[in-house]
Amino acid sequence: MINVLFAVAFLVLAPILGGLIAGIDRKLTARMQGRVGPPVLQPFYDVGKLLEKEHVIVSVSQNFFVLAYLVFIAFSGALFFAGGDLLLVVFALTLAHVLLVLGAYSATSPYSFIGAERELVQLMAYEPMVILAAAGFYLATGSFSVMEIAAFPRPLIAVLPGIFIGLFYVLTMKLRKSPFDIATSHHAHQEIVKGVTTEFSGSTLGMVEVAHWYETVFLLGLFWLFFAWSPVIAVIALAILYLAEIFIDNATARVRWGFALRSIWAVTLVLSAANLVWLQYFGGL
Amino acid sequence: MDILLFLLLAPLIAAVLLLALPDHPIRDWVVRVAAVVIGGASCYLLATAFDKGSQVVAFPTEPVGQVMTVLAVVIALYIIAMGAKYRKPVPIVLALVQAGLLLWFELVYAPGMHAEHNLFVDEFSIVMALIIGIIGSAICVYAIPYMRTYHGQHPEIPDHRRAFFFVLFVFLSAMFGIVFSNNLAWLFFFWEVTTLCSFVLIGYSGTTEAIDNSFLALVLNLVGGIGFVGALLWLGMTQGTIELDRLVGAGAAVALVPATLISFAGLTKSAQLPFSSWLLGAMVAPTPVSALLHSSTMVKAGVYAIVKFAPVLSGTPSGFFVGLVGGVTFLAASAIAVTQSNAKRVLAYSTVANLGLVVACAGIGTYEAVWAAILLIIFHAIAKSLLFMGVGSVEHQVHSRDIEDMAGLVTRMPRVGVMMLIGMAGMYLAPLGMLISKWATLRAFIDAPGGVVFLLLIAFGSAITVFFWAKWMGILIARPNRGEPIEDRVPREELAVLGLVAFLVIAASLLFPWISKFLLEPHVLSIYGHTAELGQDNIIIMLLMLGAVLVLPLSLLYFRSGRHRLAPYMGGRPTTADMHFSGSLGIQREMGLHNYYLEDWFGEPRTFRAGVVVTVVLIVLMFAGLFVAGGLA
């Protein structure tokens, strides 16, 4: 069963929460680098300004793809918070990212083209881990339904430690953070300009930003499931998790895509295989 | 059940007519009318038989069986003659071995094995009949304009179109034979006819490469055929039944040995590793042949047989290894597809990969897995035939099969381009066909014993699948300002068939809940006593997504107006409208965009070799499994 109320709440509140997280992220990052940093609300000002910019395009279809990307990111997040089927959420998310990649391809610039190829490499890198995480939740709780997984009365982190670490390893890439920020170069590494988003501007770029906020909240929701039996611990765990990501982001240099792919696949294979075999043969909680 | 006989005979009559008629427009009309009749008849079969469950048909055995034996000998003689003509000893030996074994069976054992019901139809047969009747016939119609252009562009190839269309329709008839036969000896006869048809069609152009590849296909399928005869002989020696429904119903204790042997034959026919090379070689044939082999005939016959025996394989060591062959094939073939830039080879490897999933499901053989397997067969047939025909039409205008040469196709051939995008999306993206099937497959794997291995194979394999489809889609929509529009040159009839199949991709995804409810669930229920489903909520959500996918393109109307159009960013270099920029030393260069092919990661020879080694070991284990749990111990 799914809960439409939660879906609506996600659609309304997630951009606010996601934007705030982005603002705090920038503030903390600045402090780690010895800067003062922008106000916490800066991401909202940025997107607000983007929305007012002139409508400039390279190809007609690029805006369509970005709009569809935003719609399906929001859709998959809403489906997740409504308590829907976890696999379906994963597939909707894949669809969303493929749409973003197609938007980048349609822009035809060499920079966005390489960005698109790298975004696909990223997708290929993290997809197995995400699918296997869904499988892990199923083996531990007997259900793919997010609602039932979240209502599971015992700590899932205790039976899914391998899945948790693997997913955390992948999270850096999903949040577009160093060392795995290879497709958009969020941190002004110059060689591919801005990768996927090079040719997006104005309100289109704003949509990409908002989609990123939605996705951040969704990802935190995914990690919530490991701790869902105790909301207090969950909030603390998520805060620590995100702080760790900010720290890793600032403490590491970006790696080549080949290394990113290889290491993520290795981590996925070893940790999730061990965890899943253990679950299937020795049972859950 | 006259409709079964009609479906068997109608393509045969059309084939004979086509052989008899001279080169004249009337022959094209025979093809069109036959296609409509066969398609209509398969729909009629659906309408009359879908709610009746499994029905067996008594049909006089003796004369038909004798005719088949004679024809089988004729086929063997033909193969031997062809082998002698082209100096290929291996097929001669294999044909002799096979014919010898078959005659042994026919003369010694067959008289004592009476089949009460020679034909049958159930929901799975209906599904297969629809695929053969609609997709197969559509490909035949597509072949009319295609072959006209083909011979126009290749004057050096002798025009044997009469024989070509004759064999196409014989192929369809044999496929109907495979899916309606309850007598295993009959099934084997039709099985061999499809082997022969594919041999003839692959060698159509008569070039050395085509001949070599046609013999490769023949040899590998004859090896599989020997496995099939082995199953018949085993049944003869153990005085088992030769009726498919009784054999499957008898369970693993009785039927595991023949099921494993027939699965082996199925692995060769469905081009699983280590036998995949024949399907790759089959690319030399004209594209309608590829479309036919890959979507509605040949390879589908292979997986059909394995899925038929899934209840027997379920839970046995042999079944587990059959499934693993499929799983490993899925991963290896997907990886190799990344490295290919020849469009037809990408499609071929993707076919091999997807059939691997079907085989994996069949080997696991639980009720969920069988449900998923049939879904995979349906959606793969539709989307893959669309893609092959699309590539064929593009190739005739662009004169290249290379994916890189398809850059900007959506501006040069908007309709074909969009239909190919639909086909590709249908192969891997939610909420379209194949993704629904993959979802079902995942759920089936996770509940199966030893399922973690399968889960890992599918998780990595489908991630790789996303990569190669998405980069191909990207090339189609990238670089919008290149080349003249050339769509006008595509024959109308090709466009019409493409449009029909593209519509079917979307329609099948929309109708999927009903396909499941009226065909798949009753079928699985009748075999296993319980059935799989995706749940009401999930289906509503899928339909919502599908609605969004269909509605969102309307936003293009909004984005089209009131925008300031700029050239792409080229690092500040002066760039012309057709993307020439001034490079260093003032030299004008054209911007080039090329996909990643990751040769260092998944290079074809290396991955293929690794896959062959692993699957050979698995096949040995599959037979070894018989000694552990089968009747051989």
Side-chain angles (χ1 to χ4, degrees), chain B residues 129-212:
Chain B
L130 285 171
I131 292 173
I132 302 160
I134 297 175
I135 306 287
S137 309
I139 294 169
C140 291
V141 173
Y142 173 88
I144 302 171
Y146 183 93
M147 293 309 287
R148 203 181 301 130
T149 320
Y150 180 83
H151 282 294
Q153 291 189 358
H154 300 277
E156 75 283 2
I157 294 172
D159 187 345
H160 294 308
R161 260 184 279 174
R162 272 159 83 166
F164 182 82
F165 282 101
F166 167 75
V167 179
L168 280 192
F169 278 92
V170 172
F171 212 146
L172 293 188
S173 173
M175 279 303 296
F176 282 122
I178 286 178
V179 301
F180 294 143
S181 287
N182 194 42
N183 183 333
L184 281 172
W186 290 27
L187 179 52
F188 174 67
F189 169 74
F190 292 120
W191 186 271
E192 288 304 291
V193 174
T194 62
T195 298
L196 183 73
C197 289
S198 62
F199 166 69
V200 175
L201 290 172
I202 294 168
Y204 179 74
S205 69
T207 60
T208 321
E209 191 195 8
I211 297 292
D212 286 347

Side-chain angles (χ1 to χ4, degrees), chain A residues 8-38:
Chain A
V8 175
F10 170 82
L11 291 176
V12 177
L13 298 178
I16 301 172
L17 186 59
L20 278 175
I21 291 172
I24 296 167
D25 185 337
R26 285 172 71 172
K27 195 88 188 165
L28 287 174
T29 298
R31 289 296 156 88
M32 285 186 190
Q33 295 170 350
R35 295 183 283 118
V36 178

Side-chain angles (χ1 to χ4, degrees), chain A residues 57-59 62 104-113 198-199, chain B residues 407-408 411 477-483 565-583 587-593:
Chain A
I57 55 167
V58 174
S59 79
Q62 70 182 60
Y105 274 117
S106 75
T108 311
S109 139
Y111 302 103
S112 67
F113 191 93
T198 303
E199 300 295 346
Chain B
T411 53
I477 60 172
R479 242 204 292 205
N481 296 321
R482 189 203 200 203
R565 191 122 181 217
L566 293 179
Y569 179 67
M570 290 290 288
R573 296 270 173 186
T575 308
T576 60
D578 58 351
M579 302 307 283
H580 284 75
F581 65 96
S582 50
I587 300 167
Q588 277 263 317
R589 291 172 186 282
E590 191 187 356
M591 180 191 70
L593 301 173

Side-chain angles (χ1 to χ4, degrees), chain B residues 372-456:
Chain B
I374 302 177
L375 262 191
L376 281 167
I377 291 176
I378 299 173
F379 289 120
H380 177 260
I382 307 174
K384 193 48 76 60
S385 60
L386 173 62
L387 285 171
F388 263 110
M389 291 191 280
V391 167
S393 294
V394 172
E395 188 189 353
H396 272 171
Q397 306 311 323
V398 183
H399 307 294
S400 165
R401 290 176 180 179
D402 197 305
I403 288 173
E404 301 291 330
D405 292 326
M406 296 184 190
L409 199 72
V410 284
T411 53
R412 302 185 73 194
M413 305 171 87
R415 274 173 293 176
V416 177
V418 168
M419 287 190 274
M420 284 182 66
L421 289 177
I422 292 173
M424 289 184 209
M427 289 300 300
Y428 79 106
L429 279 182
L432 293 167
M434 283 301 279
L435 203 277
I436 306 175
S437 326
K438 260 183 205 167
W439 182 19
T441 312
L442 258 171
R443 299 178 74 119
F445 285 174
I446 205 167
D447 290 329
V452 172
V453 188
F454 288 97
L455 271 182
L456 290 172

Side-chain angles (χ1 to χ4, degrees), chain A:
Chain A
M1 288 308 290
I2 60 168
N3 188 329
V4 180
L5 211 62
F6 281 3
V8 175
F10 170 82
L11 291 176
V12 177
L13 298 178
I16 301 172
L17 186 59
L20 278 175
I21 291 172
I24 296 167
D25 185 337
R26 285 172 71 172
K27 195 88 188 165
L28 287 174
T29 298
R31 289 296 156 88
M32 285 186 190
Q33 295 170 350
R35 295 183 283 118
V36 178
V40 171
L41 294 181
Q42 187 64 37
F44 298 105
Y45 303 148
D46 290 348
V47 169
K49 189 168 183 188
L50 282 173
L51 293 177
E52 289 171 10
K53 294 262 185 187
E54 187 195 4
H55 295 302
V56 171
I57 55 167
V58 174
S59 79
V60 177
S61 57
Q62 70 182 60
N63 285 359
F64 151 67
F65 284 119
V66 171
L67 174 68
Y69 163 63
L70 173 61
V71 167
F72 278 103
I73 285 277
F75 178 87
S76 43
L79 184 57
F80 178 87
F81 279 92
D85 187 293
L86 195 50
L87 279 176
L88 200 48
V89 172
V90 172
F91 296 143
L93 205 65
T94 308
L95 171 65
H97 282 279
V98 168
L99 287 164
L100 175 68
V101 169
L102 292 180
Y105 274 117
S106 75
T108 311
S109 139
Y111 302 103
S112 67
F113 191 93
I114 295 178
E117 298 277 329
R118 289 194 182 181
E119 181 76 15
L120 282 179
V121 170
Q122 286 197 3
L123 200 60
M124 183 164 68
Y126 65 67
E127 183 89 352
M129 188 62 235
V130 180
I131 291 177
L132 292 169
F137 282 121
Y138 177 84
L139 286 177
T141 65
S143 174
F144 278 116
S145 151
V146 174
M147 190 168 283
E148 285 173 32
I149 296 169
F152 198 69
R154 289 177 292 276
L156 287 171
I157 181 75
V159 284
L160 294 171
I163 297 287
F164 176 79
I165 297 169
L167 215 49
F168 179 69
Y169 196 75
V170 163
L171 181 64
T172 316
M173 185 174 261
K174 293 290 288 173
L175 290 173
R176 302 199 182 289
K177 288 189 176 302
S178 205
F180 293 146
D181 167 36
I182 56 177
T184 53
S185 76
H186 227 62
H187 291 289
H189 307 276
Q190 291 297 322
E191 93 280 11
I192 56 168
V193 190
K194 286 289 282 177
V196 174
T197 55
T198 303
E199 300 295 346
F200 302 151
S201 60
S203 53
T204 315
L205 191 57
M207 286 196 273
V208 176
E209 250 344 275
V210 175
H212 189 63
W213 297 346
Y214 271 122
E215 195 174 7
T216 305
V217 175
F218 157 71
L219 288 168
L220 292 175
L222 189 59
F223 278 92
W224 176 284
L225 294 181
F226 288 100
F227 308 98
W229 96 103
S230 157
V232 180
I233 293 177
V235 171
I236 297 168
L238 291 188
I240 295 173
L241 210 66
Y242 203 88
L243 284 174
E245 281 296 340
I246 296 175
F247 178 75
I248 292 169
D249 189 27
N250 283 290
T252 55
R254 190 177 46 156
V255 298
R256 289 165 178 241
W257 67 258
F259 177 83
L261 180 58
R262 194 173 292 126
S263 75
I264 286 180
W265 273 7
V267 166
T268 303
L269 187 63
V270 174
L271 290 179
S272 58
N275 204 156
L276 292 179
V277 168
W278 183 61
L279 260 184
Q280 200 168 35
Y281 292 100
F282 301 102
L285 288 165

